[in-house]
Amino acid sequence: MRYLTARKRAEGKGASHTGTEHHWYMTVSSVGLACMVPLFIFILGRALGSSHDDVLATFSRPFTAVLTGLVLLVGLRHFAKGAQMMIEDYAQGTTRKLLVMFVIGLSYVLTAFGLFALAKIAL
């Protein structure tokens, strides 16, 4: 006879076996984005309408460059995880697999291009 607690029997029994991990990741990243995005929008708003040299000077500052990089990384990873959860809920079979691969690939490509452009500006 096995003596298991109710928690031990229920652990990992969700439909995807990772529901809690996804929920916590999305919660933590959304709190981080809620703090970073207003600062980023303020900095971006001040740079809009400025000359090319002023925009380069703004985004070459260390704080602005790090903030922009974090917004790119965290924001696009948050997008990929959220889109993956949405696709897993509404698509089935091969379509699901292809859409998940496309969304994750798209987020990695956009992250790479964004960080490359930021590195060209900041360095």
Side-chain angles (χ1 to χ4, degrees), residues 2-119:
R2 297 176 66 193
Y3 295 102
L4 296 175
T5 63
R7 181 180 182 271
K8 186 65 177 177
R9 282 192 300 271
E11 203 169 81
K13 298 294 185 187
S16 66
H17 301 283
T18 59
T20 305
E21 288 178 32
H22 275 229
H23 174 73
W24 274 107
Y25 180 85
M26 295 300 282
T27 302
V28 170
S29 66
S30 65
V31 168
L33 285 170
C35 296
M36 289 187 292
V37 168
L39 285 171
F40 178 71
I41 290 175
F42 177 74
I43 292 168
L44 185 68
R46 290 190 64 191
L48 285 176
S50 300
S51 68
H52 184 264
D53 294 332
D54 291 341
V55 172
L56 288 178
T58 299
F59 283 97
S60 64
R61 293 186 187 121
F63 177 76
T64 307
V66 169
L67 179 66
T68 304
L70 283 173
V71 168
L72 279 169
L73 286 171
V74 176
L76 285 169
R77 193 67 195 131
H78 184 84
F79 159 75
K81 289 272 193 175
Q84 179 182 352
M85 287 188 343
M86 180 191 64
I87 290 167
E88 287 172 351
D89 286 344
Y90 296 110
Q92 297 174 359
T94 306
T95 306
R96 174 191 294 182
K97 292 176 187 174
L98 291 174
L99 286 173
V100 167
M101 287 189 295
F102 173 74
V103 165
I104 291 173
L106 177 67
S107 70
Y108 283 147
V109 166
L110 290 174
T111 302
F113 280 135
L115 291 177
F116 176 74
L118 181 64

